[in-house]
Amino acid sequence: MTYEYDYLVIGSGIAGMSFALKVAHTGRVALVCKTKLPEANTYLAQGGVASVTNFKVDNFEKHIEDTMIAGDWLSDPEAVKKVVTEAPNEINALINWGVNFDKNEDGEFDLHKEGGHSEFRILHHQDNTGAEIQESLIAAVKKNPNIDVFEDHFAIEIITQHHLGRIVTRRTSDVTCYGAYILNPENGKVDTFKARITVMATGGIGAVYKTTTNPLIATGDGIAMVYRAKGTVQDMEFVQFHPTALYHPGDRPSFLITEAMRGYGAVLRNIRGKEFMHRYDPRLSLAPRDIVARAIDSEMKRHGDDHVYLDVTHKDPEETKKHFPNIYRKCLSLGIDITKDYIPVAPAAHYLCGGIKVDSNAESSIKRLYAVGECACTGLHGGNRLASNSLIEAVVYAQAAAVHAMEMVNHYSFRNDIPEWNDEGTRLPEEMVLITQSIKEVNQIMSTYVGIVRSDIRLNRAWNRLDLLYEETERLFKRSTASREICELRNIINVGYLIMRQAKERKESRGLHYTIDYPHADTNKCHSSDS
């Protein structure tokens, strides 16, 4: 079946839905959701949204400097300035869509402080800010008659000249996106979605790793699709591991213990109950995430432990329950009373700072294709994301994309020569076993060799093992009918390869990329991949 839409949005987190809401008054929008609308990384975001709102003690310059420091001075200054200065307007947009941020008794925002921030500037809704945002946006989307939601639909590939039988050169500026091929779960067929404008908002890559805080649908689909279409992908080596995921063996994804808890006063301790952050950074437990994650990793390896502890027992119990009700309930369900007991925590893959390279309008190197949210590399995060900068980046760049797309949409027409998806393969019973096993292998390879601490030897081992899995998977894909499972496997292998390759290219330790072979920063080079 073939559809025609003015705007095709692939992904339904804060970035995709806010873009859809901003452009819907100018045309028809298809919002393609891999599973159900609530199942997005946005929903799981606990901490909050970073924005300067209390100008009595805070200002844009402080937020800009905090972001540049956290990013190890690899952040694009213009991108940082854009997000920080435009953040207050987008906070108002979220509020107008129904988002309720917590306020104090004086009616002012109840601001939190997180690692790397010099002031209290984190707006939040208890400890489930993401859920509040996601639910509010879902309600707004469902009320909009110009937005058609396609739940449980899986994007296989974006449509470019390659599918029209035309030769595409290695110059990414020669590539144009005309929509996407989308797998329909009702009949197992692949539908053609033609679009004047396509927006990639597919979220992160956490499921590439064995341990992650992301929902398991975070398989880097958008990044992999753009990479295969010869779009520019940049800074993939900068994978942020959240320092404090709840350690409970067998859980996948891991439950996140928000950084706001450390801002509230929680202290990190090793298995023996001793504080250790003073050995790694003068900011102690409030150091930036990359430093805290490496410190915990070092502490665990030093003693052969599986986790460390987060201690909030010295704080007022009722205040703790008030500020972190979901964490309190989750831990209590496992027999841990956080007002009396230490919380076992360990790092887990959490956020990708790189992705599809975009400009200030959120345009990718492929014409008519935009990227917003975690799958995009705007330049804001540089080598490491400052806590709570991601949600605000998503709406700021969704606004930029919307403004530019609305100016351009009527200049583009639909292609009439797009062929249907070629799906002549078969599906054999043993394929699912092979796919499941291969995904586990990729997870193990990435966690073992391309994790928090890297080396040339480890990265070369990852290269050799991923190469074998890539060849096996491509052969399987060519002989099989399209399925979400085989496509996700292709995508995590592509993403794993990009992380590993760009990590190999960075001959320094910088931000989230730490290698024992190059322990000191030597250069400010950025790395990208066009093929």
Side-chain angles (χ1 to χ4, degrees):
M1 188 170 180
T2 299
Y3 298 89
E4 290 187 353
Y5 282 92
D6 297 299
Y7 306 95
L8 169 62
V9 182
I10 304 173
S12 57
I14 185 175
M17 284 198 289
S18 57
F19 174 88
L21 289 166
K22 289 171 182 289
V23 301
H25 67 284
T26 66
R28 299 289 299 171
V29 182
L31 184 65
V32 174
C33 178
K34 184 174 178 178
T35 51
K36 303 297 183 185
L37 283 177
E39 295 180 50
N41 259 0
T42 299
Y43 194 89
L44 298 180
Q46 292 179 354
V49 187
S51 176
V52 177
T53 56
N54 183 0
F55 287 90
K56 295 177 182 177
V57 296
D58 200 4
N59 57 52
F60 293 145
E61 289 71 25
K62 289 181 181 180
H63 192 179
I64 288 170
E65 184 176 21
D66 292 344
T67 300
M68 294 298 297
I69 290 171
D72 211 350
W73 303 99
L74 286 173
S75 301
D76 179 348
E78 290 304 311
V80 175
K81 181 180 178 181
K82 176 182 180 64
V83 171
V84 169
T85 58
E86 295 180 19
N89 286 337
E90 297 310 314
I91 292 295
N92 289 332
L94 289 172
I95 292 171
N96 289 335
W97 283 324
V99 177
N100 290 309
F101 294 111
D102 288 352
K103 294 185 176 181
N104 57 32
E105 295 177 354
D106 297 327
E108 303 292 332
F109 290 123
D110 177 38
L111 301 175
H112 279 177
K113 184 178 182 180
E114 296 182 344
H117 287 273
S118 57
E119 298 291 349
F120 286 78
R121 65 168 69 99
I122 312 302
L123 293 87
H124 65 96
H125 178 84
Q126 296 181 346
D127 59 351
N128 62 341
T129 308
E132 168 68 14
I133 291 172
Q134 189 77 1
E135 289 169 356
S136 299
L137 294 182
I138 289 172
V141 163
K142 288 184 174 180
K143 292 177 184 176
N144 196 304
N146 283 347
I147 302 175
D148 292 337
V149 178
F150 293 84
E151 290 186 310
D152 297 310
H153 280 62
F154 185 85
I156 295 176
E157 296 287 9
I158 59 171
I159 300 169
T160 65
Q161 293 98 317
H162 170 77
H163 300 97
L164 308 180
R166 296 188 178 188
I167 297 174
V168 179
T169 72
R170 291 187 64 81
R171 293 187 303 164
T172 58
S173 59
D174 292 334
V175 184
T176 303
C177 178
Y178 303 109
Y181 290 114
I182 310 288
L183 181 63
N184 186 333
E186 293 181 1
N187 55 21
K189 300 295 184 182
V190 177
D191 293 330
T192 302
F193 279 68
K194 297 181 184 180
R196 302 180 196 271
I197 297 286
T198 302
V199 178
M200 203 64 74
T202 51
I205 55 88
V208 172
Y209 286 87
K210 184 177 180 181
T211 305
T212 179
T213 62
N214 294 176
L216 301 187
I217 58 173
T219 49
D221 305 323
I223 295 168
M225 283 187 277
V226 170
Y227 166 68
R228 290 194 293 266
K230 300 185 184 298
T232 301
V233 177
Q234 180 171 298
D235 292 348
M236 293 292 288
E237 67 269 39
F238 298 126
V239 179
Q240 187 176 78
F241 287 78
H242 198 288
T244 55
L246 180 64
Y247 177 75
H248 188 247
D251 281 2
R252 193 167 187 264
S254 299
F255 184 80
L256 179 66
I257 305 297
T258 176
E259 189 161 339
M261 185 167 278
R262 284 183 282 130
Y264 170 71
V267 175
L268 286 163
R269 300 182 183 276
N270 60 27
I271 291 294
R272 281 144 290 283
K274 302 293 185 181
E275 294 186 39
F276 59 85
M277 280 305 302
H278 59 279
R279 293 200 296 270
Y280 300 93
D281 194 277
R283 289 164 290 188
L284 306 178
S285 294
L286 278 175
R289 289 179 177 179
D290 60 324
I291 294 172
V292 178
R294 283 198 298 273
I296 293 173
D297 182 73
S298 173
E299 204 70 16
M300 287 161 56
K301 289 176 178 174
R302 183 179 182 184
H303 299 289
D305 299 326
D306 294 324
H307 63 85
V308 295
Y309 288 117
L310 191 62
D311 173 19
V312 74
T313 59
H314 55 286
K315 302 291 287 186
D316 179 79
E318 295 307 313
E319 280 295 306
T320 298
K321 293 176 189 179
K322 176 184 174 182
H323 284 293
F324 308 104
N326 290 291
I327 294 174
Y328 176 75
R329 285 192 293 267
K330 172 65 177 181
C331 290
L332 200 61
S333 73
L334 301 176
I336 303 166
D337 183 342
I338 66 173
T339 67
K340 302 175 182 176
D341 307 319
Y342 294 168
I343 308 168
V345 295
H350 182 62
Y351 191 88
L352 176 67
C353 292
I356 303 161
K357 179 60 180 173
V358 298
D359 63 14
S360 59
N361 296 318
E363 279 191 291
S364 75
S365 61
I366 296 176
K367 296 174 184 175
R368 296 169 54 168
L369 178 69
Y370 298 76
V372 290
E374 190 174 349
C375 71
C377 179
T378 66
L380 171 70
H381 306 304
N384 180 27
R385 175 179 71 108
L386 180 65
S388 291
N389 264 0
S390 52
L391 292 177
I392 198 63
E393 176 200 36
V395 285
V396 167
Y397 273 87
Q399 169 68 12
V403 170
H404 193 264
M406 288 187 290
E407 291 175 355
M408 301 301 297
V409 66
N410 291 324
H411 294 283
Y412 302 138
S413 58
F414 298 108
R415 298 291 304 230
N416 295 319
D417 53 349
I418 296 174
E420 293 184 357
W421 178 262
N422 181 7
D423 201 2
E424 298 177 349
T426 58
R427 192 176 302 178
L428 303 174
E430 68 267 23
E431 285 181 9
M432 279 305 301
V433 176
L434 293 173
I435 292 169
T436 301
Q437 184 58 39
S438 294
I439 289 175
K440 290 180 179 179
E441 288 183 55
V442 176
N443 293 157
Q444 190 63 50
I445 290 168
M446 294 302 295
S447 294
T448 303
Y449 302 126
V450 202
I452 296 174
V453 177
R454 301 161 181 174
S455 70
D456 288 344
I457 291 176
R458 294 175 193 174
L459 293 173
N460 286 331
R461 285 183 176 177
W463 179 292
N464 293 330
R465 284 154 177 77
L466 283 174
D467 191 52
L468 290 173
L469 287 169
Y470 168 79
E471 295 293 342
E472 291 175 1
T473 301
E474 288 304 302
R475 286 194 296 269
L476 182 60
F477 179 75
K478 289 175 182 177
R479 73 167 190 254
S480 303
T481 56
S483 69
R484 173 178 157 179
E485 292 80 12
I486 185 65
C487 290
E488 283 187 327
L489 175 58
R490 288 183 85 207
N491 292 342
I492 68 168
I493 290 174
N494 285 163
V495 168
Y497 164 78
L498 285 165
I499 296 169
M500 173 272 303
R501 196 184 95 183
Q502 293 184 7
K504 281 173 64 68
E505 291 171 354
R506 185 171 285 280
K507 305 300 184 182
E508 62 174 346
S509 287
R510 200 76 178 275
L512 297 163
H513 172 67
Y514 184 83
T515 169
I516 59 176
D517 294 308
Y518 305 94
H520 303 292
D522 300 316
T523 175
N524 288 342
K525 285 178 65 179
C526 284
H527 301 277
S528 65
S529 175
D530 293 339
S531 62

